Amino acid sequence: MNRIIQLTFILTIGFSLTSCFGLFDSGSDRITGNYHVLWIDLQENQGISEQIEGSEGAYIGLVPEYVFEVGHDDNFIIAKQHPTSGFHSGYQINTEVTNYYIIDLNSKKDKVIGPLSLSTFEQLRKKLGISKIEFDMKYPEIP
């Protein structure tokens, strides 16, 4: 929970600084509803975030960096992610590891399932009936 609060604070401050002072570059692509592929300052820190209802720029981080493929339907979002070395090491992307995530859009609590291996991800896709969702939002594996 502390990570979500910290991430929300960082994202809110980041957007505030961007809009007020123009210090940071950022970008986002809407997936569906309040869910976005979002990055601030560096594309290498791109992850999936949920915009807080009624806010103008506050987000809750759901899937950490670096997300490079996303797909969705009305009930689920799926994502491929390469982990990074984090903020203090310049977000070096480890393309040798691919994690998979499932976000249950109908869940209010514990909506993120992952990180998952490919085999576990495929098993859960079958179990949840989401095998037909395609990864249709694609980004470079290394920006």
Side-chain angles (χ1 to χ4, degrees):
M1 186 62 161
N2 284 340
R3 180 170 164 81
I4 291 174
I5 292 170
Q6 290 172 341
L7 210 51
T8 301
F9 177 74
I10 290 169
L11 292 173
T12 302
I13 295 300
F15 276 113
S16 296
L17 290 173
T18 300
S19 60
C20 296
F21 305 110
L23 296 177
F24 297 102
D25 193 10
S26 66
S28 73
D29 292 319
R30 185 175 168 271
I31 302 167
T32 185
N34 289 332
Y35 297 88
H36 299 262
V37 175
L38 173 72
W39 60 273
I40 297 174
D41 198 29
L42 299 170
Q43 278 191 288
E44 288 85 346
N45 72 18
Q46 177 170 282
I48 295 178
S49 298
E50 179 181 7
Q51 185 172 8
I52 297 172
E53 195 71 40
S55 74
E56 288 293 324
Y59 290 81
I60 296 172
L62 299 176
V63 178
E65 70 279 333
Y66 171 71
V67 171
F68 64 96
E69 289 190 23
V70 177
H72 78 283
D73 66 9
D74 292 337
N75 299 304
F76 294 94
I77 295 171
I78 59 173
K80 286 184 187 179
Q81 176 249 34
H82 290 312
T84 72
S85 59
F87 175 76
H88 295 292
S89 299
Y91 294 107
Q92 297 297 312
I93 298 169
N94 182 355
T95 57
E96 294 181 17
V97 176
T98 301
N99 295 314
Y100 297 82
Y101 288 82
I102 298 172
I103 300 171
D104 184 345
L105 299 176
N106 298 312
S107 179
K108 298 291 181 200
K109 187 176 178 183
D110 299 326
K111 64 176 67 181
V112 179
I113 304 167
L116 304 168
S117 66
L118 177 58
S119 61
T120 303
F121 173 72
E122 290 299 338
Q123 290 171 358
L124 276 173
R125 285 182 75 168
K126 287 179 186 173
K127 181 179 176 183
L128 297 170
I130 59 173
S131 297
K132 295 186 180 191
I133 299 176
E134 299 288 330
F135 289 103
D136 56 1
M137 295 176 73
K138 298 185 180 199
Y139 303 89
E141 283 198 56
I142 300 178

